[in-house]
Amino acid sequence: MKKILVVVDYQNDFVNGALGFEGAERLDEAIAKKIREHGEGNVFFTRDTHEENYLYTREGRNLPVEHCVKYTNGWEVYGETKVALDEVGAQGFNKESFGLSITHEIANKLPKSVDEIELVGLVSNICVLSNAVIFQTYYPGATIIVDASLTASFDPILNQKALDVMEGLQVKVINR
């Protein structure tokens, strides 16, 4: 049974930077532990990635807070999670929008088939939700899991609603 872990946007700007929020930092050690449990070849991660013109994009006009500008400190993965990703040689993907665009290049780096995909990271009601749907579409036979204890939002109500929506989309939400 092939199981992979996808760490979504656990970056400095979402933890303690431009869009950081209280409680995001508390996920760090547990995410790092889960990365190490999945081990080499089974961990992937996304980085929200923007250019200097972010404020002039559709997203920037709707969320006018510059964040995750490529190669800045805010764009880097946060804390012990970064260390663990490096230890297991995790494959990272930059994404320019909420969800990962699975291009031909990215598809060649993902496993051809997967039985189970677990997602953790930030932000539950935006990028985690978007990526759960994308991976569910890309791997229609896989069980998609979101660990509720390892995701969060700046808005606790939206966090709970996002978990509800994901359950409605047949995503298995654990540790709620």
Side-chain angles (χ1 to χ4, degrees), residues 43-139:
V43 181
F44 300 85
F45 67 99
T46 65
R47 278 182 300 245
D48 195 37
T49 302
H50 300 293
E51 301 294 333
E52 297 288 335
N53 70 339
Y54 169 76
L55 294 175
Y56 301 100
T57 66
R58 179 203 50 84
E59 181 182 330
R61 288 188 302 273
N62 288 288
L63 178 63
V65 178
E66 191 171 81
H67 65 281
C68 297
V69 174
K70 194 172 189 178
Y71 304 125
T72 64
N73 181 62
W75 175 78
E76 296 292 334
V77 175
Y78 180 82
E80 188 64 22
T81 295
K82 179 178 176 24
V83 174
L85 289 170
D86 289 343
E87 287 173 7
V88 302
Q91 175 68 57
F93 302 117
N94 295 336
K95 59 181 194 55
E96 297 174 355
S97 63
F98 300 152
L100 181 65
S101 259
I102 301 183
T103 62
H104 181 70
E105 178 184 348
I106 290 173
N108 285 334
K109 295 176 182 177
L110 289 169
K112 296 299 176 219
S113 78
V114 176
D115 299 299
E116 186 176 287
I117 303 166
E118 184 171 353
L119 290 97
V120 299
L122 301 172
V123 171
S124 60
N125 58 294
I126 302 172
C127 294
V128 173
L129 172 62
S130 296
N131 283 286
V133 171
I134 286 169
F135 279 100
Q136 187 177 55
T137 301
Y138 190 71
Y139 293 107

Side-chain angles (χ1 to χ4, degrees), residues 140-151:
T143 299
I144 309 298
I145 299 169
V146 170
D147 188 334
S149 70
L150 298 180
T151 188

